[in-house]
Amino acid sequence: EFMPPAAGPWLPPQRMFAPLPGSDFAVQRTDHAEVGIEHRFGDAYSVGVRRFTQHTLNQVATLFGLEGPGLTTDPGHYYVASAGDASVDGWVVRVATPEDQPIRGTVEYAVAEVEWTTAADLSALGRITDERIHDITTSLGADVPFTRTRLIVVYRLSTAFANDEAGASLGSRFDMQLNQGLPFLPSNAGEWEVLLSMRNTLRDQRFGMSVLDELLAISTPTRVVGGVQVKF
Protein backbone atom coordinates (compact mmCIF):
# COMPACT_ATOMS: atom_id res chain seq x y z
CA GLU A 1 0.00 0.00 0.00
CA PHE A 2 2.97 2.31 0.56
CA MET A 3 4.87 1.48 -2.63
CA PRO A 4 4.66 3.98 -5.50
CA PRO A 5 2.91 2.64 -8.62
CA ALA A 6 4.84 1.53 -11.69
CA ALA A 7 3.11 4.27 -13.69
CA GLY A 8 0.72 7.08 -12.98
CA PRO A 9 0.36 9.47 -10.06
CA TRP A 10 1.74 8.76 -6.60
CA LEU A 11 -1.11 8.85 -4.10
CA PRO A 12 -1.14 8.52 -0.31
CA PRO A 13 -2.62 5.32 1.14
CA GLN A 14 -6.42 5.46 1.06
CA ARG A 15 -7.04 2.18 2.87
CA MET A 16 -5.86 0.53 6.07
CA PHE A 17 -4.93 -3.11 6.52
CA ALA A 18 -4.38 -5.54 9.37
CA PRO A 19 -3.48 -9.23 9.73
CA LEU A 20 -6.51 -11.51 9.54
CA PRO A 21 -7.43 -12.49 13.13
CA GLY A 22 -6.59 -16.09 13.94
CA SER A 23 -4.18 -16.57 11.01
CA ASP A 24 -0.43 -16.46 10.65
CA PHE A 25 1.15 -13.57 8.81
CA ALA A 26 4.77 -13.31 7.71
CA VAL A 27 6.83 -11.37 5.18
CA GLN A 28 6.46 -12.63 1.61
CA ARG A 29 9.52 -13.44 -0.47
CA THR A 30 9.44 -14.33 -4.18
CA ASP A 31 12.36 -15.76 -6.15
CA HIS A 32 11.79 -15.29 -9.89
CA ALA A 33 13.74 -16.48 -12.91
CA GLU A 34 12.83 -16.31 -16.59
CA VAL A 35 14.25 -16.50 -20.07
CA GLY A 36 12.63 -15.26 -23.25
CA ILE A 37 13.01 -14.40 -26.91
CA GLU A 38 11.25 -11.74 -28.98
CA HIS A 39 11.18 -11.06 -32.71
CA ARG A 40 9.97 -7.86 -34.34
CA PHE A 41 8.26 -8.01 -37.73
CA GLY A 42 9.18 -4.64 -39.22
CA ASP A 43 7.15 -1.76 -37.82
CA ALA A 44 3.96 -3.79 -37.58
CA TYR A 45 4.20 -5.96 -34.47
CA SER A 46 6.45 -8.19 -32.37
CA VAL A 47 6.02 -11.70 -30.98
CA GLY A 48 7.72 -12.93 -27.84
CA VAL A 49 7.84 -16.12 -25.75
CA ARG A 50 8.97 -16.36 -22.13
CA ARG A 51 9.54 -19.28 -19.79
CA PHE A 52 9.44 -18.44 -16.09
CA THR A 53 9.57 -20.08 -12.69
CA GLN A 54 8.79 -18.70 -9.26
CA HIS A 55 8.98 -19.88 -5.68
CA THR A 56 7.17 -17.80 -3.08
CA LEU A 57 7.44 -18.13 0.68
CA ASN A 58 4.46 -16.89 2.72
CA GLN A 59 2.35 -15.91 -0.28
CA VAL A 60 0.14 -13.00 0.78
CA ALA A 61 -3.63 -13.12 0.33
CA THR A 62 -5.64 -9.88 0.46
CA LEU A 63 -9.25 -9.94 1.60
CA PHE A 64 -11.82 -7.15 1.28
CA GLY A 65 -15.42 -7.10 2.49
CA LEU A 66 -15.11 -9.70 5.25
CA GLU A 67 -17.89 -9.92 7.80
CA GLY A 68 -17.81 -11.76 11.10
CA PRO A 69 -17.06 -11.51 14.82
CA GLY A 70 -14.13 -9.21 15.48
CA LEU A 71 -13.95 -8.02 11.85
CA THR A 72 -14.57 -4.44 10.81
CA THR A 73 -16.94 -3.71 7.93
CA ASP A 74 -15.31 -0.36 7.16
CA PRO A 75 -14.96 -0.25 3.32
CA GLY A 76 -11.56 1.43 3.71
CA HIS A 77 -10.18 -1.49 5.72
CA TYR A 78 -8.91 -4.84 4.47
CA TYR A 79 -7.11 -7.88 5.85
CA VAL A 80 -3.98 -9.76 4.83
CA ALA A 81 -2.88 -13.30 5.61
CA SER A 82 -0.23 -15.79 4.58
CA ALA A 83 -1.76 -18.40 2.26
CA GLY A 84 1.31 -20.68 2.30
CA ASP A 85 4.31 -21.47 0.11
CA ALA A 86 3.81 -21.91 -3.63
CA SER A 87 5.85 -22.80 -6.70
CA VAL A 88 4.75 -21.57 -10.13
CA ASP A 89 6.09 -22.69 -13.53
CA GLY A 90 4.71 -21.31 -16.74
CA TRP A 91 4.94 -19.91 -20.25
CA VAL A 92 3.93 -16.51 -21.62
CA VAL A 93 3.23 -15.66 -25.28
CA ARG A 94 3.08 -11.95 -26.13
CA VAL A 95 2.01 -10.09 -29.27
CA ALA A 96 2.53 -6.32 -29.27
CA THR A 97 2.67 -3.31 -31.52
CA PRO A 98 5.63 -0.87 -31.26
CA GLU A 99 5.51 1.51 -28.30
CA ASP A 100 6.21 4.56 -30.48
CA GLN A 101 2.91 4.32 -32.38
CA PRO A 102 -0.01 6.66 -31.57
CA ILE A 103 -2.28 3.66 -31.07
CA ARG A 104 -0.66 0.58 -29.60
CA GLY A 105 -1.74 -2.61 -27.94
CA THR A 106 -0.54 -5.86 -26.45
CA VAL A 107 -2.02 -9.29 -25.83
CA GLU A 108 -0.39 -11.72 -23.41
CA TYR A 109 -1.47 -15.30 -22.84
CA ALA A 110 0.02 -17.13 -19.88
CA VAL A 111 -0.38 -20.71 -18.73
CA ALA A 112 1.19 -21.88 -15.48
CA GLU A 113 1.15 -24.76 -13.03
CA VAL A 114 0.82 -23.88 -9.33
CA GLU A 115 1.98 -26.29 -6.63
CA TRP A 116 1.34 -25.46 -3.00
CA THR A 117 4.17 -26.93 -0.93
CA THR A 118 2.58 -25.59 2.26
CA ALA A 119 -0.98 -24.29 2.30
CA ALA A 120 -2.67 -22.44 5.14
CA ASP A 121 -6.25 -23.13 6.19
CA LEU A 122 -7.97 -19.90 5.21
CA SER A 123 -11.74 -20.36 5.10
CA ALA A 124 -12.18 -16.97 3.43
CA LEU A 125 -10.20 -18.23 0.43
CA GLY A 126 -12.22 -21.41 0.05
CA ARG A 127 -9.95 -24.31 -0.86
CA ILE A 128 -6.42 -23.84 -2.13
CA THR A 129 -5.29 -26.69 -4.38
CA ASP A 130 -2.65 -27.32 -7.00
CA GLU A 131 -4.02 -26.03 -10.27
CA ARG A 132 -3.33 -24.80 -13.80
CA ILE A 133 -3.75 -21.10 -14.48
CA HIS A 134 -4.90 -19.67 -17.81
CA ASP A 135 -4.49 -15.91 -18.01
CA ILE A 136 -5.08 -13.34 -20.78
CA THR A 137 -4.05 -9.71 -20.35
CA THR A 138 -4.79 -7.10 -23.01
CA SER A 139 -3.78 -3.46 -23.05
CA LEU A 140 -4.59 -0.55 -25.33
CA GLY A 141 -2.86 2.81 -25.38
CA ALA A 142 -3.68 5.86 -27.48
CA ASP A 143 -2.05 9.30 -27.81
CA VAL A 144 -3.73 12.19 -29.62
CA PRO A 145 -1.06 14.94 -29.85
CA PHE A 146 -3.43 17.54 -31.33
CA THR A 147 -5.75 17.41 -28.30
CA ARG A 148 -3.07 16.27 -25.80
CA THR A 149 -5.17 13.26 -24.85
CA ARG A 150 -3.69 10.02 -23.52
CA LEU A 151 -5.64 6.86 -22.74
CA ILE A 152 -4.47 3.57 -21.27
CA VAL A 153 -6.79 0.58 -20.71
CA VAL A 154 -5.70 -2.78 -19.27
CA TYR A 155 -8.05 -5.76 -18.96
CA ARG A 156 -7.11 -9.09 -17.38
CA LEU A 157 -9.08 -12.35 -17.55
CA SER A 158 -7.98 -15.37 -15.52
CA THR A 159 -9.30 -18.73 -14.40
CA ALA A 160 -7.65 -18.46 -10.97
CA PHE A 161 -9.10 -15.41 -9.22
CA ALA A 162 -9.81 -16.41 -5.62
CA ASN A 163 -13.28 -15.93 -4.18
CA ASP A 164 -14.99 -16.52 -0.87
CA GLU A 165 -17.23 -19.36 -2.07
CA ALA A 166 -15.39 -22.11 -3.95
CA GLY A 167 -11.74 -21.19 -4.20
CA ALA A 168 -10.51 -20.23 -7.66
CA SER A 169 -12.84 -19.26 -10.49
CA LEU A 170 -12.99 -17.32 -13.75
CA GLY A 171 -12.82 -13.59 -13.17
CA SER A 172 -11.58 -10.30 -14.56
CA ARG A 173 -9.92 -7.05 -13.47
CA PHE A 174 -9.45 -3.74 -15.28
CA ASP A 175 -7.41 -0.55 -15.07
CA MET A 176 -8.24 2.61 -17.05
CA GLN A 177 -6.50 5.99 -17.01
CA LEU A 178 -7.33 9.08 -19.06
CA ASN A 179 -5.09 12.17 -19.16
CA GLN A 180 -6.30 15.34 -20.87
CA GLY A 181 -3.84 18.17 -21.26
CA LEU A 182 -4.87 21.77 -20.69
CA PRO A 183 -3.41 23.63 -23.70
CA PHE A 184 -4.67 27.08 -22.70
CA LEU A 185 -2.11 27.40 -19.90
CA PRO A 186 1.34 28.94 -20.63
CA SER A 187 4.18 26.50 -21.24
CA ASN A 188 6.30 27.99 -18.46
CA ALA A 189 3.61 27.00 -15.93
CA GLY A 190 4.46 23.30 -16.29
CA GLU A 191 2.31 20.53 -17.68
CA TRP A 192 -1.27 20.60 -16.45
CA GLU A 193 -3.52 17.61 -17.07
CA VAL A 194 -6.98 16.55 -16.00
CA LEU A 195 -6.71 12.98 -14.70
CA LEU A 196 -9.43 10.34 -14.49
CA SER A 197 -8.51 6.87 -13.29
CA MET A 198 -10.76 3.88 -12.62
CA ARG A 199 -9.53 0.44 -11.57
CA ASN A 200 -10.33 -2.65 -9.54
CA THR A 201 -6.85 -4.13 -9.81
CA LEU A 202 -4.94 -4.10 -6.54
CA ARG A 203 -1.31 -4.46 -7.64
CA ASP A 204 0.70 -2.94 -10.45
CA GLN A 205 2.33 -5.90 -12.19
CA ARG A 206 6.11 -5.59 -11.95
CA PHE A 207 8.91 -7.81 -13.15
CA GLY A 208 9.63 -10.53 -10.62
CA MET A 209 6.56 -10.10 -8.43
CA SER A 210 4.45 -13.14 -7.65
CA VAL A 211 1.82 -13.95 -10.25
CA LEU A 212 -0.47 -14.94 -7.35
CA ASP A 213 -0.53 -11.49 -5.71
CA GLU A 214 -3.45 -10.23 -7.79
CA LEU A 215 -5.14 -13.62 -8.07
CA LEU A 216 -5.35 -13.98 -4.26
CA ALA A 217 -7.04 -10.61 -3.76
CA ILE A 218 -10.71 -11.13 -2.93
CA SER A 219 -13.52 -8.64 -3.64
CA THR A 220 -11.24 -5.74 -4.55
CA PRO A 221 -13.22 -2.49 -4.64
CA THR A 222 -13.40 -0.24 -7.68
CA ARG A 223 -11.21 2.80 -7.11
CA VAL A 224 -11.97 6.09 -8.88
CA VAL A 225 -9.50 8.99 -8.85
CA GLY A 226 -10.05 12.34 -10.49
CA GLY A 227 -8.31 15.68 -10.36
CA VAL A 228 -5.62 17.87 -11.87
CA GLN A 229 -2.06 16.60 -12.25
CA VAL A 230 0.76 19.14 -12.48
CA LYS A 231 4.28 18.35 -13.71
CA PHE A 232 6.99 21.02 -13.28
Side-chain angles (χ1 to χ4, degrees), residues 116-130:
W116 290 91
T117 55
T118 304
D121 182 16
L122 298 179
S123 58
L125 286 175
R127 59 182 184 272
I128 296 179
T129 59
D130 299 344

Side-chain angles (χ1 to χ4, degrees), residues 58-232:
N58 304 310
Q59 171 65 54
V60 170
T62 310
L63 306 98
F64 290 88
L66 294 184
E67 298 181 0
L71 301 179
T72 178
T73 57
D74 184 351
H77 195 99
Y78 66 93
Y79 292 95
V80 291
S82 296
D85 304 336
S87 297
V88 182
D89 293 289
W91 292 85
V92 179
V93 178
R94 181 175 187 266
V95 179
T97 58
E99 290 292 330
D100 55 358
Q101 292 187 0
I103 299 178
R104 56 203 176 274
T106 63
V107 178
E108 282 192 354
Y109 170 69
V111 57
E113 298 283 347
V114 181
E115 179 182 357
W116 290 91
T117 55
T118 304
D121 182 16
L122 298 179
S123 58
L125 286 175
R127 59 182 184 272
I128 296 179
T129 59
D130 299 344
E131 60 184 329
R132 171 173 289 186
I133 296 174
H134 297 276
D135 192 297
I136 298 177
T137 302
T138 61
S139 65
L140 175 66
D143 293 336
V144 184
F146 181 75
T147 60
R148 297 179 60 185
T149 303
R150 292 183 290 115
L151 175 66
I152 299 176
V153 179
V154 180
Y155 185 80
R156 182 179 181 183
L157 184 68
S158 178
T159 61
F161 280 112
N163 60 65
D164 55 1
E165 296 180 355
S169 65
L170 181 65
S172 63
R173 300 277 166 85
F174 70 90
D175 187 348
M176 183 277 291
Q177 182 170 315
L178 175 66
N179 293 72
Q180 176 59 59
L182 301 177
F184 53 82
L185 294 173
S187 59
N188 58 3
E191 296 182 15
W192 291 67
E193 294 181 332
V194 175
L195 167 70
L196 175 62
S197 174
M198 183 180 298
R199 61 186 296 184
N200 64 358
T201 56
L202 182 66
R203 313 286 185 196
D204 289 308
Q205 189 69 32
R206 295 182 177 89
F207 173 80
M209 70 181 295
S210 173
V211 298
L212 299 174
D213 286 344
E214 184 71 32
L215 298 177
L216 293 183
I218 293 181
S219 301
T220 58
T222 299
R223 182 182 184 186
V224 180
V225 176
V228 177
Q229 181 173 268
V230 184
K231 298 179 181 179
F232 295 101

Side-chain angles (χ1 to χ4, degrees), residues 19-60:
L20 183 67
S23 66
D24 296 329
F25 181 61
V27 175
Q28 174 179 311
R29 173 176 175 172
T30 299
D31 295 321
H32 177 97
E34 73 172 48
V35 61
I37 185 172
E38 185 173 2
H39 180 74
R40 184 166 178 172
F41 295 87
D43 295 330
Y45 64 95
S46 62
V47 177
V49 179
R50 303 198 312 270
R51 172 78 167 89
F52 72 91
T53 182
Q54 290 185 344
H55 182 68
T56 301
L57 298 176
N58 304 310
Q59 171 65 54
V60 170

